[in-house]
Amino acid sequence: MQSVSNDRRRPFAAAWCCAVFVLLASAFCWAGAPAQTPELVEAKAAYHGVRLTGFTRPRRVMQLVSEESARCLEVLADVGDFLGEGGVFVRLNPTFVLLDIKKVEAEQSRVESEANYYDKQVGRYKTLVGGKTAAQQDLDDFMRLQAVAKDELQALRVQEMILREHLTRYDIKGPAGWRVIERFAEPGEWISIGQQVGTIGDFRTLLVPFALTEEEYEWIKGRANGLRLHFPAGGGTIPARIGRVSPDFDPQTRKIEVELEILGGLPEMRGGIRLELNLRSPDPAGVVLLPRQALMERYEEHFVLSRSGELIKVVYAGAADDGMVRVMSSRLKAGDMVRLDAKP
């Protein structure tokens, strides 16, 4: 009987020893396990959207002014028209300058004939003086007359060049391909020197001016290769690039004057088209974005935990997209790390 009882107790003792061993091993592992490192998250800068409106204008504008006084013969382009290949906008009556050119040409022919005569006389008298059959004084007189005729001929040629230069200015021109913005001349009208006859502009490239803060200017510089402007009338966007940037700034607004270039994409290249620049700039109040799990609330006040576990009081500025919240504090800025599980 004693041996049977001992045989029955042996399985229970073995099971009890195994259970004690498992509990001791678990306790040892639990005691030796390192403390769990808190998960950290970076505070992101909050941006606010800014929509700026600008209107297109020609890249360059030029006033066409008459350099001669004459009657207007014809106007070759009206408001909105393109200047042709030669760029002629207004033609003035060149009758009088043409008559002056003919007069100078006649004078040149006369003086040239005299100069040729004196050339022959000088050659002849050189032979005679060499043969001692003429006086040296006669040779000197003909040489003087020869020099005077040549000088007069040269002066007449210069005068002809001046007249022909004036003749070219009887066609009032601008660069080919530019469009007429204003027209102030009519056929038959007397045009005086210095009188404006029209205004033209280069609409092949349009500019859109904007006044930007330093942060906004840096933002568009970082996206210069893929910059696009919203076109409300067309319901889409058009490509743009940075054109001219003023090196100065407006002392009142403290902004930079920036002009964006439009090379195409519009139904018509003209001025006055409304375009919008949508950009993002850092929130001026220093608001940052954090996951909602990083924020805790106590007695209607909000806190976050720093990397070291320090409690930082923040101002809750509302919810953002993707489960983020907007908060701000003088002790919290973009780039700081806070604990994701907000439990001190």
Side-chain angles (χ1 to χ4, degrees), residues 50-57 206-214 216-217 219-220 227-232 238-250 253-262 273-279:
V50 178
R51 176 176 296 177
L52 302 178
T53 300
F55 294 88
T56 58
R57 63 186 185 189
L206 299 178
L207 296 179
V208 186
F210 293 100
L212 305 178
T213 64
E214 185 68 30
E216 292 168 346
Y217 176 54
W219 188 88
I220 67 169
L227 197 60
R228 302 189 70 86
L229 297 179
H230 179 57
F231 180 31
I238 58 172
R241 69 183 184 187
I242 299 176
R244 296 187 294 218
V245 180
S246 173
D248 200 1
F249 78 110
D250 190 330
T253 62
R254 298 185 179 180
K255 292 187 176 182
I256 304 169
E257 299 294 331
V258 178
E259 293 178 330
L260 301 183
E261 284 186 0
I262 306 298
I273 299 177
R274 179 184 175 185
L275 297 174
E276 295 176 346
L277 174 62
N278 297 322
L279 48 80

Side-chain angles (χ1 to χ4, degrees), residues 128-141:
L128 294 175
V129 170
K132 300 186 182 301
T133 58
Q136 181 67 38
Q137 180 65 38
D138 294 335
L139 176 60
D140 293 342
D141 289 341

Side-chain angles (χ1 to χ4, degrees), residues 114-314:
E114 290 181 357
N116 291 334
Y117 169 75
Y118 293 134
D119 286 343
K120 293 178 181 179
Q121 289 296 90
V122 167
R124 183 181 300 115
Y125 269 83
K126 282 183 178 180
T127 302
L128 294 175
V129 170
K132 300 186 182 301
T133 58
Q136 181 67 38
Q137 180 65 38
D138 294 335
L139 176 60
D140 293 342
D141 289 341
F142 279 115
M143 291 180 67
R144 179 179 59 81
L145 292 174
Q146 179 193 42
V148 170
K150 289 184 177 181
D151 289 343
E152 186 177 357
L153 181 61
Q154 183 62 29
L156 289 171
R157 288 172 177 169
V158 172
Q159 186 177 354
E160 181 187 0
M161 292 172 60
I162 293 174
L163 290 173
R164 291 194 180 278
E165 181 63 28
H166 279 286
L167 181 62
T168 63
R169 299 169 191 265
Y170 277 72
D171 285 345
I172 304 176
K173 301 178 181 180
W178 287 34
R179 297 183 71 179
V180 179
I181 299 174
E182 296 175 305
R183 165 185 168 179
F184 304 119
E186 293 294 336
E189 179 184 359
W190 179 260
I191 304 297
S192 302
I193 294 178
Q195 179 177 337
Q196 183 181 353
V197 297
T199 304
I200 60 175
D202 182 7
F203 289 88
R204 293 169 297 184
T205 301
L206 299 178
L207 296 179
V208 186
F210 293 100
L212 305 178
T213 64
E214 185 68 30
E215 293 79 9
E216 292 168 346
Y217 176 54
E218 292 297 328
W219 188 88
I220 67 169
K221 278 204 306 183
R223 293 157 180 79
N225 294 331
L227 197 60
R228 302 189 70 86
L229 297 179
H230 179 57
F231 180 31
T237 61
I238 58 172
R241 69 183 184 187
I242 299 176
R244 296 187 294 218
V245 180
S246 173
D248 200 1
F249 78 110
D250 190 330
Q252 295 183 346
T253 62
R254 298 185 179 180
K255 292 187 176 182
I256 304 169
E257 299 294 331
V258 178
E259 293 178 330
L260 301 183
E261 284 186 0
I262 306 298
L263 302 178
L266 294 172
E268 182 182 3
M269 297 293 281
R270 61 175 178 81
I273 299 177
R274 179 184 175 185
L275 297 174
E276 295 176 346
L277 174 62
N278 297 322
L279 48 80
R280 297 170 63 203
S281 62
D283 194 294
V287 176
V288 297
L289 297 176
L290 288 172
R292 188 178 299 275
Q293 298 89 330
L295 185 69
M296 59 184 174
E297 183 178 0
R298 291 182 180 178
Y299 306 106
E300 299 183 354
E301 292 184 339
H302 297 85
F303 302 87
V304 296
L305 287 176
S306 67
R307 181 198 294 265
S308 61
E310 182 183 2
L311 203 62
I312 300 176
K313 183 179 179 181
V314 297

